[in-house]
Amino acid sequence: MRRRRPRTPAMGAAPAPRQRPKDHWKPSVFRPHHFRLRRATKPVGTRAWTAECGRAYWGKTGRTHMRIGIIGLGRMGGNIARRLRQAGHHPVAFDQAAEARAALAAEGVEVAESLAALLAALPWPRALWLMLPAGEVTETTLKILLPTLSAGDTVVEGGNSFWKDSARRAAACAARGVDYLDVGTSGGVWGLTRGYCLMIGGEARAVERLTPIFEALAPGEAAAAPTPGRAPGGTAQRGWLHCGPSGAGHFTKMVHNGIEYGMMQAMAEGLDLLHEGPLPIPVAEVTEVWRRGSVVASWLLDLTAQALAADPALDGYSGHVADSGEGRWTVDTAVENAVPTPVLAAALFARFRSRREASFADKALSAMRKGFGGHLEPK
């Protein structure tokens, strides 16, 4: 019997439809439209399965430019959205204040009119960056968001929250299959141009997925010369670091701010001695000369020199110095763990005293805080 040759399509005929592989449903085959379907139809009990699919998909595609939601467009949140857009990412921004949304929209940033619209504008698995004041505002926003999130989504909390609150929120998110990263963010109002120092706590898989975001926000290697004797490598030299488990990012930022209190207080007290001392010393010129070759040269000194150049007597400041919480938490944590921090404690108490009677040192502190963070004195 003569074997028949298989038929071939006639010239110009449409090819036969492609058959799906038998394992098309498995998570090892990465098709974005399947994951959207799974998220909508899989029962709640399989959230862990869909979360792993989502994380695997993002890792498999090697995506370097991401859509990410930014909630809170204040002094830092708005600039975070701008810096991400400059790096080629696609932030979708939301703030309760219509003027904040309008300002970013005028610059070409996509804005959402509500939280629901923000979530709808993001592909799954979604990434949301919260840049809100610590405390009730952050807590309330997260309570609204969490029931609407799906397994595999990631929440980044970039404000100055207490680290124990961050650990608690991470546990609540994990119960729903949602990753939560607490990111201590330093850089203030200058972050748009200088970049942000990022201290991150949470699961390594979520940190890995959002690496393109952290790379875009961080200052990069060019921000500082290599440390002599340090072996090259790692992300710290680029300006961001996975510090440990949930809470570690905000814990590290808390200590960072406690040190900041101490450094600022030491500089302010020294300037006060120059100003009130027995010799007619030009304080503004001293800060300028210290910027060149001095052991105390620093960004804080740069900002102080700028403030003194504009207002040598600092008459534009009352000297009433606010504290935003991190200094208190630092001292409280030191007491809980029996770690002596006399300088940090004294710096905090000096701020309390400044609200009763202010000195030139207190005015210098206010000038520094306004310089790096845009912080205004309490009324």
Side-chain angles (χ1 to χ4, degrees), residues 322-365:
D323 69 287
S324 52
E326 296 88 345
R328 301 187 189 209
W329 299 334
T330 301
V331 173
D332 288 344
T333 303
V335 171
E336 289 177 6
N337 293 275
V339 177
T341 56
V343 172
L344 308 188
L348 175 64
F349 297 152
R351 295 195 177 195
F352 297 161
R353 179 200 49 74
S354 77
R355 294 166 214 166
R356 299 187 177 186
E357 54 179 29
S359 65
F360 184 83
D362 300 321
K363 294 180 179 181
L365 283 173

Side-chain angles (χ1 to χ4, degrees), residues 204-370:
R205 64 195 177 203
V207 175
E208 181 180 0
R209 181 164 83 86
L210 295 187
T211 289
I213 297 296
F214 302 139
E215 290 284 348
L217 292 175
E221 289 188 43
T227 300
R230 179 185 180 274
T235 64
Q237 66 188 30
R238 300 197 293 276
W240 67 276
L241 180 67
H242 182 202
C243 298
S246 295
H250 282 154
F251 184 89
T252 305
K253 179 59 162 53
M254 176 191 75
V255 176
H256 165 281
N257 283 25
I259 294 171
E260 178 185 290
Y261 277 38
M263 293 173 65
M264 292 171 65
Q265 186 64 33
M267 188 178 299
E269 290 179 6
L271 296 177
D272 196 27
L273 181 56
L274 290 173
H275 184 264
E276 302 292 340
L279 300 175
I281 294 175
V283 180
E285 291 301 292
V286 169
T287 58
E288 186 64 26
V289 76
W290 281 354
R291 294 180 62 226
R292 293 162 173 81
S294 166
V295 172
V296 298
S298 64
W299 187 38
L300 285 175
L301 183 62
D302 294 344
L303 296 172
T304 307
Q306 291 175 28
L308 287 169
D311 182 4
L314 299 180
D315 289 330
Y317 298 91
S318 68
H320 296 170
V321 187
D323 69 287
S324 52
E326 296 88 345
R328 301 187 189 209
W329 299 334
T330 301
V331 173
D332 288 344
T333 303
V335 171
E336 289 177 6
N337 293 275
V339 177
T341 56
V343 172
L344 308 188
L348 175 64
F349 297 152
R351 295 195 177 195
F352 297 161
R353 179 200 49 74
S354 77
R355 294 166 214 166
R356 299 187 177 186
E357 54 179 29
S359 65
F360 184 83
D362 300 321
K363 294 180 179 181
L365 283 173
S366 287
M368 284 184 248
R369 295 186 78 245
K370 183 179 180 182

